[in-house]
């Protein structure tokens, strides 16, 4: 039992680190690519690329049916049972629905291209540019289906390789095209990257599960549950996008574009940084949880271990980030953004709540309760928008940071309370113990940032971060083969 427990913790730690590292590398590649775009295309070219990408993402979101997410629970369950026949049959269902989504995306993008051109440009005719995006939208839909297959069948190494290789190819392909074609290279880069991602993903997926495409009403009917869950996930994402749009519109009206920019920087730093740890949730944790979602005891065990490892990894990172913000903000942006240091330090506290909430929220998705998930997400975003408004009216831009924290506390109570009542979820004593220690250290760092300046700020901040790190490492060492794995790697390096 002890060996099995250690293996479970080691698995979570391994893949949280793997996908966190991959996410970090992808962020670096993206920063390098954006830097070259800025140099080669200028602000106008970057704006044009941003506009096209937003249209592509919107079209994909409207037509992809959420297959990359909705297909995972059923497929994971079949994989866990070892039902090879059922697994291969449902993979056929996924691939058929992916083609349907690709066709919908193709038609939708072409149909709205003229309308979008009229809405976004006052000069020239860019209808053809938008119409050409239809091919990328269709390829994204096919990629989504193959990605779901790899997730559900635990091909996690392949997923990591795909993400890294496509990021590298994006950098290598885009720079020459921008250099030689200037603005005319934007659309080819978008389409080529969708093509490369699709082909690489298919290469890995077809290696494990060769293409056996069939067509029929029965196959389409088999995917109904998958589509319901997928569409609910997409709608939740749309609601989230709408909430963020409302927040930015409100800040623009009440304060101006400067406040919108400051808020956007706060949001980006807080959530992007934490995303290094949360990136493993979709690829590894969700398929594992889906496979055992009908067993209450195993579900609780899976959720609590994910919370423990994620909390222990992210807490020292959050403490260090809070301390280092006065140095990082000017480096990442400019001295103009120094006013967001205090706001961001407040907002970072919300990530402690998020790491305690997110694994529990996945239970609803793993069970396939699409409407419940949608209503829970809607409740959170309504409260989030209202709190941002109240916070800004009360304390200005600083109030938005406070609002983000309060909204995540609300989300924690809502999600955990619902899971306790509906699914029999029970938080373990170890989760509460680790959370109490790390949240207390996080609050201590926050108080430090408010009350102390100068040399003592850096000494005490470094000390608290080291305490948080030492606590996490000691717990992870006791629950995993951490030292043994590190020593083994060092011997072979």
């Amino acid at each position: 039992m002890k060996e099995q427990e250690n293996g479970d913790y080691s698995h979570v730690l391994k893949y949280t680190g793997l996908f966190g590292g991959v996410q970090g590398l992808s962020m670096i590649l993206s920063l390098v690519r954006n830097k070259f775009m800025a140099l080669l295309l200028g602000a106008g070219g970057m704006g044009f690329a941003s506009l096209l990408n937003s249209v592509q993402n919107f079209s994909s979101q409207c037509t992809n049916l959420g297959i990359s997410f909705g297909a995972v629970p059923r497929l994971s369950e079949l994989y866990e049972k070892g039902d090879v026949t059922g697994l291969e049959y449902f993979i056929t269902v996924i691939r058929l629905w992916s083609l349907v989504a690709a066709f919908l995306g193709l038609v939708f993008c072409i149909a709205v291209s003229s309308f979008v051109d009229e809405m976004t440009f006052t000069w020239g005719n860019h209808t053809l540019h938008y119409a050409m995006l239809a091919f990328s939208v269709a390829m994204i839909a096919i990629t989504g289906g193959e990605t779901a297959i790899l997730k559900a069948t635990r091909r996690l190494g392949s997923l990591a390789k795909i993400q890294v290789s496509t990021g590298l190819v994006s950098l290598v392909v885009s720079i020459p095209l921008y250099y030689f074609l200037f603005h005319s290279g934007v659309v080819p880069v978008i389409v080529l990257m969708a093509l490369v991602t699709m082909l690489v993903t298919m290469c890995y997926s077809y290696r494990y599960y060769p293409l056996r495409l069939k067509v029929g009403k029965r196959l389409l009917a088999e995917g109904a549950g998958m589509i319901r869950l997928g569409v609910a996930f997409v709608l939740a994402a749309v609601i989230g996008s709408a909430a963020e749009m409302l927040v930015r519109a409100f800040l623009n009206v009440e304060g101006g574009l400067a406040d919108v920019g400051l808020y956007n920087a706060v949001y980006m730093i807080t959530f992007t940084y934490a995303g290094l740890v949360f990136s493993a949730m979709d690829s590894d944790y969700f398929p594992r949880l889906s496979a055992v979602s009908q067993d209450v005891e195993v579900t609780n065990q899976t959720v609590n271990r994910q919370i423990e490892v994620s909390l222990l990894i992210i807490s020292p990172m959050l403490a260090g980030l809070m301390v280092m913000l006065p140095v990082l903000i000017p480096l990442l942006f400019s001295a103009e953004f120094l006013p967001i240091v205090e706001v961001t330090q407040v907002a970072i506290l919300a990530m402690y709540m998020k790491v305690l909430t997110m694994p529990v929220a996945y239970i609803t998705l793993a069970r396939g309760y699409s409407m419940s998930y949608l209503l829970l997400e809607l409740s959170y975003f309504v409260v989030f928008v209202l709190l941002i408004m109240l916070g800004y009216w009360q304390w200005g831009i600083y109030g938005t940071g406070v609002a983000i924290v309060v909204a995540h506390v609300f989300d924690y109570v809502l999600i955990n309370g619902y899971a306790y009542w509906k699914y029999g979820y029970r938080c373990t004593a170890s989760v509460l113990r680790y959370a109490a220690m790390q949240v207390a250290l996080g609050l201590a760092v926050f108080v430090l940032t408010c009350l102390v300046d100068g040399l003592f700020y850096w000494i005490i901040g470094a000390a608290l971060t080291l305490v948080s790190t030492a606590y996490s490492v000691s717990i992870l060492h006791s629950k995993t083969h951490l030292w043994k794995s590190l020593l083994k790697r060092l011997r072979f390096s």
Side-chain angles (χ1 to χ4, degrees):
M1 288 291 290
K2 181 67 174 175
E3 192 66 27
Q4 175 65 38
E5 183 181 342
N6 287 345
D8 290 344
Y9 281 108
S10 296
H11 177 94
V12 179
L13 180 61
K14 175 183 176 181
Y15 286 105
T16 300
L18 172 65
F19 285 101
V22 169
Q23 184 74 9
L25 179 59
S26 298
M27 287 167 56
I28 292 170
L29 292 173
S30 179
L31 287 171
V32 174
R33 188 176 66 250
N34 289 339
K35 182 69 174 181
F36 276 101
M37 281 183 69
L39 293 172
L40 295 171
L41 304 184
M46 288 193 73
F48 183 49
S50 175
L51 192 58
L52 290 174
N53 275 306
S54 66
V55 172
Q56 179 201 54
N57 292 336
F58 175 75
S59 299
S60 178
Q61 205 171 52
C62 289
T63 59
N64 66 20
L65 305 177
I67 293 171
S68 64
F69 208 89
V72 172
R74 177 61 178 155
L75 203 58
S76 294
E77 187 180 347
L78 292 168
Y79 178 79
E80 189 71 16
K81 289 178 180 177
D83 185 352
V84 178
T85 303
L87 185 71
E88 291 178 349
Y89 179 78
F90 199 69
I91 286 173
T92 304
V93 172
I94 292 169
R95 285 173 173 162
L96 178 59
W97 271 105
S98 295
L99 286 176
V100 172
F103 178 75
L104 289 174
L106 192 74
V107 172
F108 177 84
C109 209
I110 293 173
V112 303
S113 57
S114 179
F115 173 74
V116 172
D117 178 53
E118 291 178 5
M119 292 289 293
T120 54
F121 281 98
T122 56
W123 53 272
N125 188 340
H126 299 272
T127 302
L128 182 60
H129 291 143
Y130 290 121
M132 287 177 65
L133 293 178
F135 298 104
S136 65
V137 171
M139 288 185 282
I140 289 170
I142 294 171
T143 303
E146 301 304 323
T147 301
I149 294 168
L150 293 172
K151 283 181 186 177
T153 56
R154 316 293 195 277
R155 309 295 179 179
L156 304 178
S158 297
L159 286 169
K161 290 174 185 175
I162 290 167
Q163 195 169 340
V164 172
S165 59
T166 52
L168 288 169
V169 171
S170 173
L171 189 63
V172 172
V173 168
S174 60
I175 294 172
L177 285 173
Y178 291 143
Y179 180 80
F180 289 108
L181 300 179
F182 198 48
H183 288 185
S184 299
V186 173
V187 174
V189 166
I190 292 173
V191 176
L192 275 174
M193 284 319 305
L195 176 63
V196 168
T197 305
M198 181 187 72
L199 291 177
V200 173
T201 307
M202 288 169 63
C203 179
Y204 280 99
S205 182
Y206 286 7
R207 180 190 304 173
Y208 303 116
Y209 302 99
L211 180 64
R212 296 186 181 91
L213 193 60
K214 298 178 183 178
V215 179
K217 290 183 179 179
R218 183 184 172 189
L219 284 167
L220 290 172
E222 287 285 344
M226 168 185 75
I227 298 304
R228 277 197 300 271
L229 182 60
V231 169
F233 184 75
V234 169
L235 286 175
V238 170
I239 292 170
S241 298
E244 282 302 323
M245 184 180 68
L246 282 172
V247 166
R248 284 163 173 79
F250 165 78
L251 293 175
N252 187 37
V253 171
E254 294 291 323
L257 282 174
D259 281 354
V260 177
L262 294 176
Y263 170 81
N264 194 61
V266 171
Y267 197 88
M268 186 181 72
I269 293 170
T270 305
F271 288 88
T272 301
Y273 187 74
L276 295 176
V277 172
F278 298 140
S279 59
M281 295 282 186
D282 282 352
S283 300
D284 173 49
Y285 169 66
F286 180 51
R288 286 190 295 110
L289 182 65
S290 298
V292 299
S293 60
Q294 302 307 315
D295 187 320
V296 175
E297 183 179 348
V298 180
T299 293
N300 285 345
Q301 187 181 78
T302 303
V303 172
N304 286 316
R305 287 178 182 172
Q306 185 69 39
I307 292 173
E308 287 177 25
V309 174
S310 299
L311 176 68
L312 291 169
I313 291 174
I314 201 173
S315 295
M317 295 168 61
L318 296 176
L321 180 61
M322 268 194 279
V323 173
M324 291 300 295
L325 276 175
V327 174
L328 289 175
I329 294 295
L331 285 176
L332 292 172
F333 301 97
S334 67
E336 184 183 355
F337 286 84
L338 279 173
I340 70 168
V341 169
E342 293 180 351
V343 188
T344 311
Q345 286 167 335
V346 176
I348 286 171
L349 295 175
M351 295 302 99
Y352 288 98
M353 292 294 100
K354 189 175 180 68
V355 78
L356 295 171
T357 304
M358 197 171 176
V360 183
Y362 272 90
I363 300 175
T364 300
L365 284 170
R367 289 286 188 95
Y369 295 141
S370 53
M371 188 54 67
S372 298
Y373 174 76
L374 193 59
L375 290 174
L376 288 169
E377 288 293 290
L378 179 62
S379 300
Y380 163 72
F381 283 117
V382 168
V383 171
F384 176 78
V385 172
L386 292 175
L387 285 171
I388 290 287
M389 292 178 174
L390 290 172
Y392 186 80
W393 282 329
Q394 188 69 32
W395 298 295
I397 196 68
Y398 185 83
T400 62
V402 176
I404 290 171
V405 177
V406 177
H408 278 79
V409 172
F410 166 80
D411 197 36
Y412 170 80
V413 174
L414 175 69
I415 296 298
N416 280 268
Y418 183 79
Y420 184 95
W421 167 72
K422 182 73 174 178
Y423 310 120
Y425 167 70
R426 299 295 182 267
C427 181
T428 59
S430 57
V431 168
L432 294 174
R433 186 166 62 252
Y434 304 155
M437 180 65 177
Q438 291 291 15
V439 171
L441 286 168
L443 288 171
V445 174
F446 174 70
V447 171
L448 167 76
T449 65
C450 297
L451 301 179
V452 182
D453 290 315
L455 182 61
F456 283 109
Y457 171 88
W458 297 107
I459 293 172
I460 299 172
L464 289 171
T465 303
L466 285 173
V467 170
S468 177
T469 303
Y471 181 77
S472 289
V473 170
S474 65
I475 299 297
L476 290 172
H477 171 54
S478 68
K479 291 181 176 292
T480 67
H481 303 296
L482 181 60
W483 299 138
K484 191 184 294 184
S485 299
L486 289 174
L487 289 172
K488 185 177 178 182
R489 287 181 180 277
L490 287 172
R491 287 195 199 102
F492 286 101
S493 61

